[in-house]
Amino acid sequence: MSTNKELISKIGLRLDGRRANELRRIRCKLGVFTQPDGSAYLEQGLTKVLAAVYGPHQVRGGRSKAQHDNAIVNCQFSMAVFSTNERKRRPRGDRKSTELSMHLQQALLSVIKTELYPWSQIDVYVEVLHADGGIYPACVNASTLALIDAGIPIKEYVCACTASLANNDTPMLDISHQEEIIGGPTLTVAALPMSGKIVLMEMSQRFHLDHLKKVLEKALKGCRDVKQILDEAVRLHVRDVGSSTGWAGTG
Amino acid sequence: MTLCEAEKTFVLHGVEENFRIDGREREDYRPMELETDIVSHAFGSARLRLANTDVLVAVKIEVDTPFPERPFEGKLEFFVDCSANATPDFEGRGGEDVAIEISNTLSAAYHSPKVFDLRKLCILKGRKCWKIFVDILLLECGGNLFDAVSLAVKAALWNTQVPLIRQIDIDGNNVELKVSELSDCQRLDVKTAPVMVTVCKIGEHCIVDPNVAEEQCSVGSIVVSVSENKFSTVLQTGTGSLHSSTLLDCLKLGYKVAQRLDDALWSTLSKIQPTEDVGFLK
């Protein structure tokens, strides 16, 4: 590890040995649990996230919240108390988790075809098991997989990725916790990679507008890369499930 | 999940004939999977999957000050978190009742020094001790939470590495500790740690390891925690009332099954190899 805390070394390697435009290793699995309608597990580097989807089902807690033309999407973000290096006191309910729940809802509402399920509710729960930077992107990506596993119609994949700027000129992709601490602005983007639309963009620090274009470009490329990986996982999963049921009902 | 009368009768008849809905006998457990060391940055961890009950336990250790009334003892704290992933009922603060019930039962079960010796966690009398946080995350509830949690906790504590103290510098009120590297640690002694068994009374018979449907049919259940050959806590749950002779039968059954369960856990733990990180990807 470099001691002078450079984000990118002279030969172009980052602290964990990646190049500037490389994602961390993403491993994922659909259908990890049996009780939820859809579930997924996603590892992005050391960040580990579980997502579960329940629904569409009847609106819980009174019909006053129900909408006559849309389904409501209810998200809850929660972090295991042991997920960070320093033990957390509470798994949820603090400001950061409330904010992340709202952002997650925003990203998912943009892709779920809610108009198909009036008077109903879809619950998305994410649980962070290990936090090592890029929690929000990992949650969005895992939720997408869980929605697909639950068979809820979505317009397209919604993927998220972070990007940052190293040494004031090189954009970097997929920021780890260590790199977050060292500094540099972090740009979080949730996008629809196929149509190229952005559903959420968040900038953490003061940042010159001139750099925004290339960092955003980099983050969008990250989203497209993530989509490739997720798509591959979904196809593999569908193939496994399909072949184990003998492709029942498709012939 | 709610059952109708016919379904309840079906479960009841199954228990009477010693052939339960999933083909088990009254004293049988569902298949279990145990993994240790799956949370890389914790001092010890375990994940237990009992059919579709899923529990993840991680152990974290911090330096703390002992209680003034017990200067020679360390601290042990249990925290249960009911993840909403398990059931939407746990959303927000919904799982708190279950969580508190489980963590209080665990604290009671580990309370006695014969069960878990807190004096080994003392670093400096009255000044410094280790505080062990046992964090339990319920990821899926398929019945029989107590048994699954107690086994996972025992496995996680077995897996825990407590750092060794190399040097203590005392300067007035300041105490500085030099702690060994993670590669050089000692294991906790959990041979006597309790194992909990839930005994459920359905009709005229008692069963162990109830699934969700059977839990609904039960008139009452007893959770016994057994440490080696002694009971460490007994807890009666549910709304029904039990006759004292039935209660004794339940205790006897619980004791017998707990012994078998403990043996099975030890033989499994001794066979566990440090493997590649599989976790949830399996």
Side-chain angles (χ1 to χ4, degrees):
Chain A
M1 196 189 298
S2 73
T3 47
N4 53 355
K5 302 224 162 170
E6 264 188 340
L7 284 170
I8 292 190
S9 69
K10 286 198 182 64
I11 48 169
L13 292 178
R14 289 155 69 176
L15 292 169
D16 47 10
R18 283 183 288 159
R19 298 202 177 274
N21 57 357
E22 280 175 349
L23 290 168
R24 291 176 288 175
R25 174 169 73 157
I26 297 182
R27 296 195 291 175
C28 49
K29 187 171 190 294
L30 282 83
V32 276
F33 294 126
T34 51
Q35 254 160 32
D37 296 302
S39 59
Y41 171 75
L42 184 124
E43 263 182 45
Q44 191 158 358
L46 287 174
T47 303
K48 294 172 184 166
V49 178
L50 276 169
V53 171
Y54 287 87
H57 56 72
Q58 202 177 356
V59 175
R60 258 179 298 107
R63 281 172 72 92
S64 57
K65 275 193 293 178
Q67 292 173 0
H68 69 93
D69 52 351
N70 276 321
I72 46 176
V73 176
N74 168 41
C75 296
Q76 183 184 273
F77 169 89
S78 159
M79 262 171 110
V81 285
F82 50 79
S83 60
T84 45
N85 274 332
E86 193 79 347
R87 185 180 175 271
K88 279 168 67 88
R89 296 284 150 208
R90 292 200 292 178
R92 66 189 79 91
D94 52 333
R95 276 189 195 186
K96 195 183 156 205
S97 358
T98 317
E99 189 197 359
L100 281 170
S101 303
M102 279 164 54
H103 285 170
L104 187 62
Q105 189 185 26
Q106 185 185 340
L108 297 180
L109 269 175
S110 68
V111 288
I112 299 175
K113 287 183 162 288
T114 51
E115 67 275 12
L116 296 176
Y117 304 104
W119 302 109
S120 43
Q121 173 175 0
I122 297 167
D123 292 315
V124 181
Y125 301 117
V126 287
E127 181 80 42
V128 176
L129 300 180
H130 192 160
D132 185 56
I135 301 169
Y136 177 74
C139 289
V140 171
N141 300 337
S143 312
T144 308
L145 289 180
L147 282 173
I148 292 171
D149 187 42
I152 292 174
I154 51 176
K155 290 172 195 143
E156 60 173 287
Y157 287 81
V158 55
C159 299
C161 194
T162 53
S164 175
L165 196 67
N167 313 336
N168 258 323
D169 59 11
T170 328
M172 307 192 293
L173 204 58
D174 198 10
I175 310 306
S176 72
H177 182 60
Q178 211 181 8
E179 289 165 335
E180 264 174 17
I181 291 175
I182 290 176
T186 306
L187 179 78
T188 309
V189 171
L192 313 179
M194 286 150 94
S195 56
K197 288 182 204 153
I198 296 170
V199 291
L200 182 129
M201 186 170 105
E202 196 193 21
M203 187 75 223
S204 69
Q205 273 179 40
R206 224 168 76 92
F207 184 63
H208 200 286
L209 201 61
D210 289 356
H211 297 310
L212 184 66
K213 190 161 175 277
K214 60 181 174 188
V215 177
L216 184 61
E217 204 54 51
K218 190 61 98 176
L220 284 174
K221 184 179 173 293
C223 291
R224 286 195 291 275
D225 292 349
V226 170
K227 190 236 148 193
Q228 284 276 315
I229 296 168
L230 298 190
D231 193 45
E232 209 168 291
V234 169
R235 282 171 199 278
L236 213 64
H237 178 73
V238 170
R239 205 193 63 198
D240 284 355
V241 171
S243 58
S244 65
T245 56
W247 297 104
T250 52
Chain B
M1 177 165 157
T2 41
L3 296 182
C4 68
E5 281 307 311
E7 285 171 309
K8 283 186 178 168
T9 317
F10 182 69
V11 172
L12 192 87
H13 285 170
V15 171
E16 249 164 41
E17 282 165 29
N18 206 6
F19 191 82
R20 287 152 72 180
I21 36 179
D22 41 12
R24 283 181 291 158
E25 295 188 2
R26 285 194 286 263
E27 292 175 23
D28 285 348
Y29 266 78
R30 290 169 288 174
M32 283 185 233
E33 277 173 44
L34 179 68
E35 275 175 85
T36 55
D37 231 350
I38 79 164
V39 181
S40 53
H41 58 303
F43 290 79
S45 57
R47 178 195 179 207
L48 186 99
R49 201 170 159 79
L50 168 67
N52 56 358
T53 300
D54 210 315
V55 182
L56 180 64
V57 178
V59 178
K60 287 228 171 198
I61 304 179
E62 283 175 16
V63 177
D64 202 11
T65 327
F67 293 115
E69 67 271 24
R70 297 202 195 94
F72 291 104
E73 291 183 5
K75 295 178 183 175
L76 178 68
E77 195 179 293
F78 295 96
F79 177 82
V80 179
D81 178 17
C82 297
S83 165
N85 285 25
T87 141
D89 297 336
F90 287 162
E91 195 189 331
R93 305 169 73 94
E96 241 161 53
D97 295 348
V98 182
I100 288 172
E101 192 183 18
I102 296 177
S103 57
N104 283 355
T105 314
L106 274 172
S107 313
Y110 276 83
H111 185 69
S112 156
K114 292 242 167 62
V115 171
F116 189 79
D117 195 1
L118 288 173
R119 278 169 302 185
K120 285 190 183 139
L121 300 176
C122 181
I123 302 170
L124 189 65
K125 178 202 160 190
R127 304 278 285 275
K128 293 281 173 206
C129 69
W130 293 117
K131 180 168 188 179
I132 300 188
F133 290 98
V134 182
D135 296 314
I136 300 143
L137 184 62
L138 301 179
L139 292 170
E140 200 173 10
C141 298
N144 205 10
L145 283 176
F146 281 95
D147 302 25
V149 167
S150 78
L151 288 174
V153 166
K154 188 165 180 171
L157 286 172
W158 173 84
N159 180 241
T160 300
Q161 308 259 359
V162 183
L164 295 171
I165 300 291
R166 287 269 167 260
Q167 195 182 336
I168 304 178
D169 296 325
I170 304 176
D171 178 17
N173 275 333
N174 277 344
V175 180
E176 266 184 29
L177 302 174
K178 283 219 173 68
V179 177
S180 67
E181 292 293 311
L182 263 182
S183 53
D184 184 22
C185 291
Q186 61 172 355
R187 288 279 177 106
L188 286 168
D189 176 25
V190 289
K191 185 72 196 140
T192 53
V195 166
M196 291 193 214
V197 172
T198 311
V199 182
C200 237
K201 184 155 190 287
I202 298 182
E204 295 300 306
H205 298 278
C206 296
I207 57 156
V208 294
D209 191 23
N211 58 26
V212 184
E214 286 165 336
E215 272 176 356
Q216 296 231 337
C217 302
S218 124
V219 286
S221 55
I222 308 274
V223 182
V224 293
S225 52
V226 177
S227 150
E228 286 209 306
N229 53 7
K230 299 248 181 4
F231 288 115
S232 69
T233 46
V234 177
L235 169 83
Q236 186 178 350
T237 57
T239 50
S241 49
L242 298 178
H243 203 271
S244 61
S245 64
T246 326
L247 190 68
L248 280 177
D249 287 342
C250 288
L251 292 182
K252 270 184 204 146
L253 175 66
Y255 179 79
K256 192 172 75 180
V257 174
Q259 299 288 343
R260 286 211 314 256
L261 202 55
D262 199 33
D263 290 342
L265 179 66
W266 273 109
S267 64
T268 313
L269 286 177
S270 61
K271 270 184 252 161
I272 278 185
Q273 303 286 332
T275 43
E276 174 72 354
D277 52 336
V278 261
F280 293 91
L281 287 166
K282 189 159 45 181

